[in-house]
Amino acid sequence: MKLVAAARLLLAALTLWPALAFAQQKGEPGRFDHYVLSLSWSPSYCEAMGPRAEPAQCATARPFAFVVHGLWPQYQRGWPESCQNPAPYVPEPVLRSMLDLMPSRRLVLHEWRKHGTCAGLDPTAYFDKVRRAYQAVTIPEAFHRLDDYTMVSPGEVEAAFRAANPGLAPDMIAVDCDRRRLTEVRICMNRQLGFTSCDEVDRRACRTSRVVMPPLREGAGQR
């Protein structure tokens, strides 16, 4: 019986390995199928990270609701990452210009190195595309600001985004969560930044029935 169990484990590992290797391959700049625009619910990040959170994002003087986590080149299955090493330099004016959407210098540089280098664009063009992708999505009015902890279902959040964005179908969006908090909304976009289907992203969506959205920090004001 032990030999049978070991054989099954080996078979499972061999079956899974190609998918994992494909997902994590370095990739070639400009060779991908679509983008994922990841919008992070900033209060969840701040609460989960606690004292390790980025001060620029989580200090009470800097309130944020949904922020851009990243614009990620994707394959239909898996994704490329870190396509240029070392990554091209991000000009300081470009970096500073993104801090209203991506409220951390560290986040901007990390996203460029890991994902932006796979887009086949220079830093200026890539971050311009990030901004245009964000502007192409309407954040539902209900999520511009929350003043108290709010319980939601992932389906309710998805429905709100779909209602605010005509043409956004169920297989083009995924709501993500940790064990108790809503963490991100991920929207799939083609190279022209129109909405597109993405079955793999949709399949990885949050399956928890109810999650909490922490509020913006008290006294922080509105972005």
Side-chain angles (χ1 to χ4, degrees), residues 8-9 11 20 33 42 66 73 78 98 112 118 121 132 134 138 150 152 181 185 189 194 208 211 222:
R8 287 176 177 171
L9 286 173
L11 178 61
L20 290 174
D33 296 316
S42 183
F66 275 111
M98 296 305 298
W112 166 244
C118 296
L121 303 169
R132 288 190 289 115
Y134 176 81
T138 299
T150 302
V152 297
R181 305 175 190 87
V185 172
M189 312 179 89
T208 303
V211 290
Q222 185 171 1

Side-chain angles (χ1 to χ4, degrees), residues 10-72:
L10 178 60
L11 178 61
L14 290 174
T15 301
L16 184 60
W17 172 252
L20 290 174
F22 184 75
Q24 297 173 355
Q25 66 179 288
K26 180 179 178 181
E28 180 180 336
R31 294 181 63 89
F32 61 95
D33 296 316
H34 62 87
Y35 288 108
V36 170
L37 175 66
S38 180
L39 300 172
S40 173
W41 182 246
S42 183
S44 289
Y45 161 79
C46 295
E47 184 174 285
M49 294 298 291
R52 295 176 296 156
E54 283 287 324
Q57 181 169 346
C58 298
T60 57
R62 293 287 304 276
F64 294 95
F66 275 111
V67 300
V68 175
H69 181 174
L71 182 67
W72 305 335

Side-chain angles (χ1 to χ4, degrees), residues 154-155 158-159 161-163 165-175 185-188 195-205 207:
E158 179 176 317
F161 270 84
R162 290 182 57 210
N165 294 275
L168 185 62
D171 64 349
M172 300 174 178
I173 178 173
V175 176
V185 172
R186 296 175 178 174
I187 297 173
C188 297
F195 302 135
T196 191
S197 61
C198 50
D199 291 339
E200 185 183 59
V201 174
D202 185 52
R203 284 195 299 270
R204 295 201 303 264
R207 303 303 178 194

